[in-house]
Amino acid sequence: KTAAATVSQATVASSNMLDFRAGRAFSKSYNGYAGCPIVVSNKSCIMAEFGYDGVPMESLKFMDQRKPSRLWFHMKRDAFPTMYWWGILTGLWRGPSMIPEIPAVYNAGKASALRA
């Protein structure tokens, strides 16, 4: 499992444990999310995010994650280790569900500028 999958599963499990202790029906289910940065060169990376059956589940919808990107390379190299040690292990980061939706108006004008 990837760290992304583990965090998503842990969020569901902790919520359902609280439901169980309170005598309620389980309120969450795991959707199969997994994410894996794939380095394709010394300065670019593809972020593969998918669910069960390989269905894409992109968390940053303003980027075409099928194309190599310098942004994902720096996320893998610089941001993900910090997110792991200071976010996941401390319980502050609960997975991609914490990423807000970017409005479609923003997507249309800025998507090409954000791609590397």
Side-chain angles (χ1 to χ4, degrees):
K1 297 285 181 187
T2 65
T6 303
V7 169
S8 295
Q9 290 172 2
T11 302
V12 170
S14 64
S15 176
N16 288 341
M17 283 189 269
L18 292 172
D19 289 339
F20 178 78
R21 288 188 63 187
R24 297 185 300 256
F26 293 156
S27 60
K28 296 197 178 204
S29 63
Y30 177 59
N31 61 7
Y33 174 81
C36 181
I38 302 169
V39 177
V40 295
S41 76
N42 63 351
K43 291 190 178 183
S44 66
C45 185
I46 294 172
M47 185 61 177
E49 294 179 291
F50 48 89
Y52 289 126
D53 301 324
V55 176
M57 296 179 71
E58 296 178 336
S59 56
L60 296 179
K61 294 172 179 44
F62 63 85
M63 290 185 64
D64 184 353
Q65 294 182 19
R66 298 170 297 174
K67 294 183 180 178
S69 166
R70 193 166 191 160
L71 170 66
W72 282 119
F73 177 79
H74 287 290
M75 290 290 289
K76 179 198 177 344
R77 188 185 74 183
D78 304 322
F80 290 166
T82 302
M83 288 170 65
Y84 177 79
W85 291 107
W86 298 104
I88 294 172
L89 295 183
T90 61
L92 297 174
W93 176 253
R94 295 180 307 279
S97 62
M98 294 181 68
I99 299 172
E101 288 291 323
I102 308 280
V105 174
Y106 180 80
N107 292 347
K110 303 292 183 181
S112 60
L114 294 173
R115 291 191 182 118

